[in-house]
Every structure is written in structure tokens, then in C-alpha cells.
Amino acid sequence: MTDNIISTAVIIGAGIFGVSTAVQLARRGVNVTILNDGPPANGASGRSLSWLNSARMRSEPYHRLRVAGIDRYRTLAAKNPDADWLRFDGGLTWDADDERNEIDAAYRHEVSIGYDAQRLSAQDVSRVVPGLDTSGITPQGAIFNPGEGWVDLPTLIGLLLNEFSELGGVVVTDQGAAKVVIEGGRAIGAQTAKGDLHRADAVVLATGPAVPKMAAENGQTIGDDTPIALIVQTKPLAHPLRAVLNTPRVAVRPAPGGTFSLDADWAADEGVSVSADGSYQIHESVIAELLAEAAKVMEGNPQLEVASVGVGGKPIPGDGEPVIGAMKDIPGYYVAFSHSGATLGLIVGELLAYEVASGAEHPMLATFRPGRFKPV
């Protein structure tokens, strides 16, 4: 236990950022309450592809944060060697055969920063990555990143919540959306939709795609580029594919129990419409097409069946970089909002809890402060 400048905290949101931060604070001896509008992992964390990676090109600070995030998962995997919810079987990606193909540039960049990458032809892939139909790999080839993996976030969140409860943490669910309460210019707690006020020395807003709107209600601006995302979970299937696939038409990720998670940007764009009341309408023909695209890249082109479909906002900040840390204009108010919530889930909780509990700023979060966004 470390010395704290705070003794109590409220976390709004029971996704991976909120729960990870809560556990880390509880480990530091802080009394923590989590507030969630429904059951844990009912938002973006429950419909995430959850590919653990730092592939392709991004800023150096963002890459370092993601690599640190993967490191924490490796530590967790070492403690749970038989887990079927956390695996490091690599990731394979290829691009379409057109002017947008960036495989060569991506490979050169990954090599230049020491990110483990192998440039493979279709023939090479069949020897390195089992479970593929390689006929769709384009002439530019593919990149295999052997150090990548995946996690099942709902399972991880459940395990973290077990520890959180053992540490004395409190979880309050199904009382509607909570909001940050400001008095005297500082955050003093959070109030549920049912009117219950939970006072605390610090409040962490970790509500995924809802963060920018909720922050705006307190006069704070956070750039937002959140799209609608669609993920399909298949029924169990005996199949040798173990790597995460990111292809021009579909992403395929193994999941516990012999199931697979599938997504694609085009499927969300073409297959989901928003009704006047804010509810989502999913077009069955697009789901069928997504299943067909997944089958094409899997060995034997298996018949895939839908077990469940998830749809909702995918948290992406306006400039693509994470938004983590204190709202400087409102003491006691912290925020966590980012894409790649799975990859960053453990490290963001660790570093944000450090800042909340100690009042100090962690240098790895220096470029990710919410104050970089200016009011429009």
C-alpha cells in the first residue's frame, strides 16, 4: 500500500478502463465505488475485437503505451498459462490489391521500431500460420506479427471485479446513467439517475463512447470521432485458426470455447441504421455477407453461424490519440477515453490510478491530456 492524497474515488463505467483503474486504486488502499448503468462490460468492452497489438503506424508515445499494455498482458498470461480467454498466437494482416495497399510501408516501419514483423507471401503464410485459406492474400503479401494476441474482455473484467470485491470495492449497477457532480468548481462525486449521490475525493469518467458528451455537460471539450461498430460472435466451431486476422474485408479473432469474433468497418457502415429514438437496426443481409467473408479466409471455408451480434459506438478520440488524465479546470475530475481499449486496458488503469492516488503526473501520459482539446 502506498501513501495516498485521496481516500475515496468513484468510477463511472464498468468497462475495461473503469474496472482496471478501480482495481489499481483499491490495491493502493483507496475506497472505490464503481457506478454502471447496467451490468459490467455492457458497453464497448463487451463488443470489442480485443486484438492486442501495436501494428502499423502511429505516434511514438502511443506506440510505447501500447507496447507497455501488451507487456502487462504477457505478465497476466504467465500467471494464467492455461487461460482460454487470453492468447498470444500472433496476428496476420494483408491489404487490398489497389493504390491503398500499405503493406510494404507498414512492414518497413514496424522493422524500424523493433516491432516483431515477418513479411510473408501467400505460400509462406501457409507454412507459418495454420488455419487459413491463403487464396485471398494479395500479391503484396502479408505481415505476420508473432507477438500479438487477443483477450476476451468480459471474462477479464469479471476476474478483475472478483479481486475488486475482495479488496472491499463496491459495484453499483442498473441505476441508470450516472453523472459527475461539481460543487465549488471541483468534482465531489457522482449521482445515479435514481438520485443517489456517491461522494468521493476523485471521480473517473470511463464510459466509452459516452465520455465526450458527458464531459461536455461539465463544460469540457474532448474531440470525438466515434463511429458505430458491429461485431458478430459465432457459434462454436472446431477449427485450427489461432491467429488474429485483419484482412481487407473482415477481421477474425478466435474466442473462448471455439467461437470466433468478426468485424469490418464496411459491415457497420452498410449494415446498421439508427432509428429516431437512437436504437439500432441491423440488416441481416450484411451479417450474412460478413459471415461469408470470414469463411473465405478460413481453411475449409466453414459454415459459420451467428451466436450474437453487438452494435454501438467504438470510442475514438477526434485526433486518434488516447485521452487520459485530469481535467485541469475541474480538480478531482479524471477521464479515460481511447480506441484500442483492450490493448491499453491494463496499462491505462495502472497509470491513471497512479495519477489519481498520488496527484503526480506520469510521463507516459504527457501527450494524452484532455486539455489539448480547445472549446469550439
Side-chain angles (χ1 to χ4, degrees):
M1 185 182 301
T2 59
D3 294 333
N4 303 314
I5 64 168
I6 68 166
S7 61
T8 57
V10 169
I11 313 290
I12 305 178
I16 187 58
F17 283 164
V19 171
S20 176
T21 304
V23 170
Q24 290 284 347
L25 285 169
R27 289 174 182 172
R28 290 173 169 270
V30 177
N31 295 316
V32 186
T33 298
I34 298 174
L35 305 179
N36 202 54
D37 58 356
N42 66 328
S45 291
R47 54 177 186 270
S48 169
L49 186 68
S50 303
W51 168 35
L52 305 178
N53 78 96
S54 189
R56 300 283 180 149
M57 288 80 84
R58 56 183 48 84
S59 72
E60 183 179 351
Y62 193 9
H63 172 68
R64 289 200 306 269
L65 188 66
R66 292 171 72 111
V67 169
I70 295 170
D71 172 77
R72 299 306 189 269
Y73 279 107
R74 289 197 173 280
T75 301
L76 185 62
K79 295 178 180 178
N80 298 273
D82 299 322
D84 69 347
W85 49 269
L86 174 61
R87 304 294 304 171
F88 283 96
D89 295 314
L92 183 78
T93 184
W94 68 89
D95 290 355
D97 183 17
D98 57 30
E99 68 280 358
R100 296 168 296 174
N101 190 295
E102 294 184 338
I103 286 297
D104 184 65
Y107 173 70
R108 291 176 181 275
H109 173 75
E110 290 175 9
V111 169
S112 75
I113 59 175
Y115 190 69
D116 197 357
Q118 301 172 17
R119 181 81 176 270
L120 303 174
S121 67
Q123 293 74 23
D124 296 330
V125 167
S126 62
R127 293 191 295 269
V128 176
V129 185
L132 287 179
D133 184 327
T134 61
S135 62
I137 296 177
T138 47
Q140 297 86 347
I143 299 173
F144 180 58
N145 302 110
E148 295 178 352
W150 59 269
V151 63
D152 185 71
L153 283 182
T155 301
L156 174 59
I157 287 170
L159 293 170
L160 292 174
L161 285 174
N162 288 340
E163 179 186 352
F164 181 65
S165 296
E166 291 171 358
L167 292 169
V170 176
V171 181
V172 179
T173 61
D174 302 304
Q175 292 197 23
K179 63 179 181 180
V180 180
V181 178
I182 311 295
E183 287 184 4
R186 68 166 292 118
I188 58 92
Q191 188 172 40
T192 68
K194 293 189 175 181
D196 295 333
L197 175 61
H198 297 262
R199 291 186 174 271
D201 301 320
V203 181
V204 177
L205 182 61
T207 52
V211 165
K213 182 179 179 180
M214 293 179 70
E217 292 171 353
N218 301 122
Q220 304 299 298
T221 299
I222 293 177
D224 186 21
D225 199 21
T226 295
I228 295 173
L230 173 75
I231 192 153
V232 172
Q233 193 80 15
T234 75
K235 293 180 179 180
L237 172 74
H239 197 275
L241 179 64
R242 297 292 178 267
V244 180
L245 305 184
N246 282 271
T247 81
R249 290 288 293 173
V250 66
V252 182
R253 188 261 288 174
T259 64
F260 290 90
S261 296
L262 319 175
D263 83 352
D265 290 343
W266 65 264
D269 294 341
E270 300 174 17
V272 179
S273 56
V274 184
S275 300
D277 63 0
S279 62
Y280 298 108
Q281 303 298 316
I282 302 171
H283 305 293
E284 295 298 329
S285 61
V286 171
I287 301 299
E289 187 176 353
L290 184 63
L291 291 172
E293 292 291 351
K296 287 179 184 178
V297 299
M298 297 173 68
E299 181 182 283
N301 308 132
Q303 183 72 35
L304 300 173
E305 298 181 73
V306 175
S308 63
V309 178
V311 63
K314 178 193 293 186
I316 299 182
D319 60 4
E321 298 274 299
V323 184
I324 312 292
M327 298 283 204
K328 294 297 182 63
D329 295 340
I330 307 177
Y333 192 159
Y334 297 81
V335 66
F337 175 60
S338 183
H339 184 37
S340 302
T343 301
L344 300 180
L346 296 180
I347 191 64
V348 163
E350 177 184 326
L351 301 186
L352 186 56
Y354 164 84
E355 295 199 341
V356 173
S358 69
E361 292 189 345
H362 197 286
M364 286 192 76
L365 300 180
T367 65
F368 305 132
R369 305 293 173 196
R372 70 183 186 269
F373 297 102
K374 303 300 181 184
V376 177

